Every structure is written in structure tokens, then in C-alpha cells.
Amino acid sequence: MMIEENFKALEMRGDELVLLDQRLLPCEEKDFICRSVEDVFFAIKDMVVRGAPAIGGAAGYGVYFAAREACGDRDKFNRLCDYLINARPTAVNLAWAVNRVRKTAEESGFSLDAIRKDADDIVSEDIAMNRKIGEIGSSVIPPHATILTHCNTGALATCGWGTALGVIKTAFYEGKDVFVYADETRPRFQGARLTAWELVRAEIPAALIPDSAAATLIRDGKIDLVILGADRITANGDVANKLGTFALSVICKHYGVPFYSAAPTTTIDFSTPSGDLIPIEERDRSEVTMVNGTKVAPDEIGVYNPSFDVTPHQNITGIITECGIIREPYDMNLEILRRTLGRQNA
Ligand code: MRU
């Protein structure tokens, strides 16, 4: 039986893009409606919708709005598309989705039907890829497994089902005895607010931990594997993901704990050779100095708030994609994958 979530991160209803406002979860389940490129830009930037594949899904509809707003003015359309790409720099799914639908617009002579269909296809393809990632990834989950995850990689972070959390859900629904430790994921608390919310709804046994508790659990042999997502994977297998991922990978490597990243191939940036070239988003200081609107640090303090970090491929046991699990040597195996997918490397 196919288990479905009864919520959606994003859904086109009529001519409106309806987003479940992730800034408000778990306290409120409220929709945020987008009717323009500007609305989609804001929703991505302010993290109403977040998670690389969900950002890509929303951006596809952003291009549809751009085509409507440009009324056949090609320069305006391209300006709006470029504007959308700049909403957040790290997750490559954003540029990938915008450029895919932009190409469809060009090739179809700006047919709104063709553009809308391509945006719809991005969503359905993402869900299908995530289901496949779940099936493939479940093979690395032992029958009894304690799994640590970071950030949110579930249905909220994608067009449906999820990547790393999708693997965990698939294993759980296959009858495996899984227990999940979810990092709270400071400073935006995607683990506490979103992953915990999804785990509770899916009735998967789990505990929420402060990020800094992960090292002790790993050292003490309490974690069988770590599985988390990716915002951008470069041609050599380096993975940009939520801040804290790199530290977890170092601890896992030190203690010999398997460390997996799960992502659709739309998250692979074949044109960037290595992780040091990935633009890392720095977000507002208030994410660190305030918690839920309450000041927790003096105004005078400087803040460094990178949203992501890069994990070198040497620390990664495998990258779980819908096309299989990519392992060392990553550069060679990713090149084979690139050719199989017919993707460009420049
Ligand atoms: O800043 P966010 O919440 O958009 O960051 C999300 C992540 O880092 C996820 O791990 C990644 O996008 C994969 S989501 C399937």
C-alpha cells in the first residue's frame, strides 16, 4: 500500500500557488498564497517554502507567473527569471528549475499551457524521484536501526515524500524497527519545527536532540547511520547542506559510522567541479540573535550566520539518488551518471 502524506508543501490551485507556510509550523498550519513572481521570490527568500527540491518546485511556477507578467516581452521575462534565481544562492534546484522552464518557454513560443505543464511535471517528477530514493535508500537501513538526521528533508522540503526522511519513512513502512534522533538544527530549527512535526504525524519513534548532543550519541555507539539531504552536490561528490552537516560527517568518519546524503539528481551541479566553489548563503543576523522574536544576544555583537556548509566527498559513505547509490570514486561515478542523464557539464 502506498502511504501518502495528508499535507503538501506546495500545490497549484487554479492560478494560485498555495504554500504551507513553514515559518509558522508547528504552531500554525496556514497557507501562503503566491500570485506573482514577487510573491514566489519572497516565499523562497523568507523560507515560507524551503528545502532544495521544494524551492525548485515553487520556482517552476514562479516562471509561469513570470511568463504571464512579461506578456511576450522576452527581456522582461528573462529579467524576472534571473531575479527569481537570486532568491537563495546555494540550493541548485532553484536555478535548475528556472532554467528548465525558461527553456520550455522559449521552445514553445511562450505558450502558457506548455510552461504550466512543465512546472507541473517538475512537481510530479520530484515526487517519483523521492519514492525511488526511498526504495533504494532503504537498502542501507538495517532491520533494527537508530538513525540520526539533520535539518528537514521530508515532504515539507520536497514536492512530496522527501529525500533522507523519505528513506527513513520507506524503511519504517517496510516494517523496519527504526528510531530517529532529529537534530533541532539551529538557528532556524528545521529539525525541531518541521522534522519533528513530520515524524510525529508519521508515527515514527523519534527523539529531538540539541545539535550538540549528536557527537556524544555517535561516540557512544548509539547511532547506526546518519542520513541527511543536500542542497548542491558538485561533480566530485562534495555536498553542500544545512550548516552542521560537515561537523556530523567528521564525527561519523572518526567513529566509523556510515554517513549518507540522499538527493534527487536535480540537486547535482555537474558544472561545478568541487564544493569550495559553491556559493554559501549568509542569512540575517537576527536568526542568531533572536529566538521567536525574543532577543538572546546583545545588539553590539557581530554575527556570522552561514546557512550551509560543505562536506568533502571523502567523508561521505554514499549519495543516494533515484538512479542508485553513488560511492567512491565520486568523480568517475558522477561522470557516468551525468552521461546517463544526458546532462551538460558546463
Ligand atoms: O535552509 P533550508 O531549510 O532550505 O535548508 C534545507 C536543507 O539544508 C536540506 O537538507 C536540503 O535542502 C535538502 S531537502 C530535501
Side-chain angles (χ1 to χ4, degrees):
M1 190 188 66
M2 182 82 115
I3 313 272
E4 304 262 358
E5 305 95 11
N6 54 3
F7 63 92
K8 282 189 164 65
L10 62 130
E11 186 175 30
M12 204 61 178
R13 291 189 207 141
D15 257 355
E16 294 178 340
L17 173 62
V18 181
L19 303 173
L20 180 55
D21 192 337
Q22 299 192 33
R23 299 169 303 176
L24 306 177
L25 290 171
C27 302
E28 267 184 83
E29 292 176 32
K30 206 170 155 189
D31 290 336
F32 180 96
I33 312 291
C34 297
R35 299 184 181 92
S36 65
V37 183
E38 183 65 44
D39 291 344
V40 178
F41 177 90
F42 173 83
I44 293 172
K45 192 165 188 60
D46 213 47
M47 295 169 69
V48 174
V49 61
R50 31 68 48 203
I55 290 171
Y61 293 114
V63 178
Y64 171 67
F65 293 140
R68 269 198 338 207
E69 287 166 34
C71 297
D73 177 340
R74 180 175 270 118
D75 288 344
K76 182 171 179 189
F77 173 71
N78 280 320
R79 266 199 314 278
L80 289 172
C81 289
D82 293 341
Y83 166 70
L84 205 50
I85 287 177
N86 284 317
R88 290 188 79 186
T90 305
V92 79
N93 301 60
L94 172 54
W96 172 84
V98 170
N99 289 330
R100 167 172 157 167
V101 186
R102 181 180 353 214
K103 189 159 171 256
T104 299
E106 288 287 347
E107 288 172 356
S108 67
F110 290 87
S111 150
L112 285 179
D113 286 345
I115 295 168
R116 169 69 180 265
K117 181 178 179 310
D118 200 29
D120 288 341
D121 287 348
I122 287 179
V123 170
S124 49
E125 287 168 23
D126 185 60
I127 297 169
M129 285 188 283
N130 291 335
R131 290 286 183 175
K132 196 79 198 154
I133 289 169
E135 279 169 33
I136 292 170
S138 179
S139 66
V140 306
I141 312 265
H144 304 276
T146 302
I147 305 165
L148 190 138
T149 192
H150 189 65
C151 197
N152 172 263
T153 59
L156 289 170
T158 61
C159 301
W161 195 243
T163 58
L165 197 54
V167 171
I168 294 170
K169 287 195 292 185
T170 305
F172 176 72
Y173 291 127
E174 282 172 359
K176 292 187 183 174
D177 171 27
V178 300
F179 186 90
V180 180
Y181 282 107
D183 279 356
E184 62 179 353
T185 317
R186 282 174 184 258
R188 291 287 295 234
F189 296 100
Q190 289 94 332
R193 296 188 304 103
L194 309 176
T195 300
W197 185 80
E198 288 201 45
L199 286 165
V200 167
R201 288 176 85 108
E203 300 184 18
I204 298 176
L208 181 64
I209 54 169
D211 295 336
S212 344
T216 306
L217 286 170
I218 293 168
R219 182 200 62 193
D220 292 350
K222 303 266 172 61
I223 304 297
D224 295 305
L225 73 153
V226 169
I227 177 162
L228 37 68
D231 280 81
R232 190 186 295 228
I233 299 166
T234 53
N236 68 343
D238 293 347
V239 168
N241 190 50
K242 181 51 58 195
L243 186 72
T245 300
F246 170 52
L248 281 173
S249 79
V250 173
I251 300 161
C252 282
K253 193 168 188 189
H254 186 81
Y255 290 104
V257 171
F259 182 93
Y260 289 94
S261 168
T265 52
T266 49
T267 301
I268 305 175
D269 176 2
F270 292 103
S271 64
T272 298
S274 57
D276 52 320
L277 300 168
I278 298 174
I280 299 294
E281 177 183 17
E282 285 188 37
R283 293 191 61 87
D284 197 83
R285 56 176 278 121
S286 61
E287 290 189 345
V288 183
T289 59
M290 315 269 282
V291 175
N292 254 355
T294 302
K295 189 163 125 177
V296 293
D299 292 334
E300 296 78 12
I301 193 69
V303 168
Y304 171 52
N305 183 23
S307 197
F308 303 95
D309 57 29
V310 175
T311 297
H313 60 90
Q314 293 91 341
N315 290 8
I316 300 170
T317 311
I319 298 172
I320 304 164
T321 75
E322 78 280 8
C323 297
I325 303 178
I326 316 294
R327 298 181 191 268
E328 288 280 16
Y330 285 103
D331 50 358
M332 195 181 89
N333 290 329
L334 283 166
E335 176 57 14
I336 294 168
L337 178 64
R338 184 186 73 75
R339 288 181 191 188
T340 311
L341 294 168
R343 293 261 300 270
Q344 303 294 318
N345 60 357

